[in-house]
Amino acid sequence: MRKGGNGGAGQGSARGKQRQGKKKGRISNRGLGYGALMPPECCFSCTTFNILAPIYKRLDKEDQSCRESQYRGYWLSRNQGIIDRLLGEMSSIICLQEVWLGNDELVDMYERQLGDAGYITLKLARTNNRGDGLLTAVHSNHFRVLNYRDLLFNDFGDRVAQLLHVESAVSFCQSRNSSIPQQILIVNTHLLFPHDSSLCIVRLQQVYKILQYIESYQKEHNLSPMPIILCGDWNGSKRGHVYKFLRSQGFVSSYDTAHHYTDSDADAHKWVSHLNHRGNICGVDFIWLLNPNKYRKPLRTSWNEALFGIIKVEYFLFQYLLRAASLSEDNAFAFLKADSPGDYITFSGFCQALCQLGLTRHPHGLSPQDTQELWIQADIGGNGVVDYEEFLQRIWNPKWTEQSEENFEQETEVILKAGAERQQAFGFIVKNAVLFPPEVEKGMWPEDYSLSDHAPLTVVFSPVRMPCFQTLR
């Protein structure tokens, strides 16, 4: 599995099996690695951490060209501190973003020390030689890597993702003689930063590609239902379109689940994980969990609903910039129907409105196919026009943003009662989740924190049996 070198674009690398020294098998009780939560054989931990590549770390606010990468002693010391923390946690799975893959010395530093501690490492550089990329480490005492894939988005920002198909090295609960496959699909990614609202669609497309690839991989290998864990820097908060899109697909934020936070505005800023280059603090690092018993609406349906959500937000912004006195649904309907002679929206008026909102006719906007599919979704009656009731139901008040955990459970039961084939699988309960340093869990960013401009997130999962669907929806 090892490829050598820096693991250029589209090429992963693995290392560690041959380099398991005296630390192999030694599980630390520091941090959240295993602690006293449950016996080690019945849980595992996962850490995600954007470690801030030295080529991006600014050392002088007045001189933006002064970067940490120019000073070997600085980046060497900081990254050794990061490695020390990771080895103190000894998570079963480690997902890192912004690893400086363009520097052989730093890469070797991570591969060698993680390898000596019993980890297999896989790395993937961003396309077009951007200098940084992803590194995922899997502890060989806990999981075997069955398969590994690179996902290249080939879009603006040169973003990528890693897909790992892993199997537990030992039975999660050895006292149970179970034949249920104990396998997981894991993704590590770093989405595009939303420099402006025109990139919202690109970011959604990146998530869509990840989920689409996972579905294709499961079907290609005829896999039994299994948990899916998505790790990374999502560059968007709980109030963003990416968060809502993943929630609409049944995923839950592990940190919010552990702390009993909801999707409400009241819980949107309880925690932070990033101090961005604009000086704002926000929560953007997530470990998402999808259990195999979750009902998943068709992926394209969630995609279209997310785009309708963007249309609504862009309309609000457009009217705000015009100092509009009203943002009511009546005004929005009038805006979309444009010069239509009747009390309805035509396709040409719809296209004109999307262009006026800046959502089409540029490289990062909606494609003609996207526009056509949105129109088909909105035109419930199929008569070529969208009346006021259809507008309210499909564009203005889509129900997907209000989906809750209870809704998914109810939908799951409906599907099962309708005759879908049941089978036993295993999933996970979120036992605990911790951000470091502790101040970020209270929505504050400490001035003396220097490991990165992101906080590492570690989650402990415990396996449970559950009924699920035989086939993907």
Side-chain angles (χ1 to χ4, degrees), residues 66-93:
C66 182
R67 302 296 171 100
E68 186 189 55
S69 55
Q70 300 167 255
Y71 302 90
R72 178 178 178 273
Y74 286 10
W75 61 255
L76 198 65
S77 174
R78 182 172 67 87
N79 280 272
Q80 186 58 58
I82 291 170
I83 293 172
D84 289 344
R85 174 154 193 90
L86 295 173
L87 294 181
E89 289 283 355
M90 285 295 285
S91 288
S92 310
I93 298 165

Side-chain angles (χ1 to χ4, degrees), residues 32-304:
L32 260 187
Y34 280 105
L37 290 170
M38 288 189 72
E41 68 271 14
C42 285
C43 65
F44 79 95
S45 55
C46 182
T47 294
T48 186
F49 192 10
N50 180 324
I51 62 174
L52 180 56
I55 53 176
Y56 302 135
K57 182 173 173 58
R58 300 172 176 87
L59 298 182
D60 188 341
K61 292 182 179 179
E62 302 300 323
D63 182 6
Q64 295 293 304
S65 65
C66 182
R67 302 296 171 100
E68 186 189 55
S69 55
Q70 300 167 255
Y71 302 90
R72 178 178 178 273
Y74 286 10
W75 61 255
L76 198 65
S77 174
R78 182 172 67 87
N79 280 272
Q80 186 58 58
I82 291 170
I83 293 172
D84 289 344
R85 174 154 193 90
L86 295 173
L87 294 181
E89 289 283 355
M90 285 295 285
S91 288
S92 310
I93 298 165
I94 300 171
C95 295
L96 303 179
Q97 305 86 42
E98 281 198 26
V99 181
W100 189 17
L101 296 181
N103 184 285
D104 290 340
E105 184 178 6
L106 183 139
V107 172
D108 181 71
M109 182 179 176
Y110 276 86
E111 288 191 325
R112 175 171 43 81
Q113 295 189 49
L114 290 173
D116 287 345
Y119 287 94
I120 296 170
T121 58
L122 301 113
K123 61 183 186 288
L124 174 63
R126 289 168 63 188
T127 49
N128 290 320
N129 298 315
R130 296 296 288 261
D132 69 302
L134 308 171
L135 186 148
T136 301
V138 179
H139 201 288
S140 56
N141 282 3
H142 309 151
F143 289 102
R144 290 186 292 267
V145 178
L146 301 179
N147 207 346
Y148 168 76
R149 297 287 178 86
D150 295 336
L151 282 69
L152 309 181
F153 298 148
N154 293 315
D155 60 8
F156 181 80
D158 298 307
R159 301 293 175 167
V160 296
Q162 296 175 291
L163 172 65
L164 284 76
H165 179 190
V166 303
E167 181 176 51
S168 176
V170 294
S171 177
F172 279 126
C173 291
Q174 294 179 347
S175 60
R176 299 176 181 176
N177 184 18
S178 172
S179 61
I180 299 175
Q182 298 180 348
Q183 299 176 9
I184 314 169
L185 293 177
I186 302 165
V187 169
N188 181 15
T189 195
H190 182 188
L191 295 191
L192 179 69
F193 184 84
H195 295 282
D196 58 63
S197 61
S198 69
L199 298 177
C200 288
I201 294 172
V202 178
R203 289 164 37 73
L204 274 179
Q205 286 172 335
Q206 291 172 347
V207 180
Y208 181 86
K209 289 176 182 178
I210 290 172
L211 300 185
Q212 188 178 48
Y213 192 91
I214 290 172
E215 284 194 358
S216 298
Y217 179 83
Q218 289 175 296
K219 292 176 181 177
E220 175 188 349
H221 295 276
N222 194 27
L223 298 181
S224 300
M226 64 184 64
I228 299 170
I229 295 176
L230 310 179
C231 300
D233 173 5
W234 300 84
N235 263 324
S237 71
K238 290 178 64 176
R239 303 185 69 178
H241 299 293
V242 166
Y243 181 93
K244 295 174 181 177
F245 181 46
L246 286 167
R247 290 290 289 121
S248 77
Q249 279 287 294
F251 286 87
V252 297
S253 161
S254 299
Y255 184 85
D256 291 291
T257 299
H259 294 269
H260 308 289
Y261 294 148
T262 67
D263 291 341
S264 68
D265 288 342
D267 287 343
H269 305 291
K270 294 282 189 179
W271 56 274
V272 297
S273 66
H274 180 38
L275 173 66
N276 69 25
H277 63 281
R278 296 172 177 171
N280 301 320
I281 56 174
C282 42
V284 301
D285 299 274
F286 292 87
I287 295 179
W288 291 96
L289 169 66
L290 178 70
N291 273 321
N293 67 334
K294 290 296 183 184
Y295 164 72
R296 293 176 66 185
K297 66 174 67 175
L299 182 55
R300 199 68 191 180
T301 299
S302 283
W303 166 254
N304 289 333

Side-chain angles (χ1 to χ4, degrees), residues 44 257 289 291 427-432 459-464 466:
F44 79 95
T257 299
L289 169 66
N291 273 321
F428 295 120
I429 293 173
V430 178
K431 296 295 294 182
N432 203 354
V459 177
V460 176
F461 297 99
S462 176
V464 292
M466 56 182 59

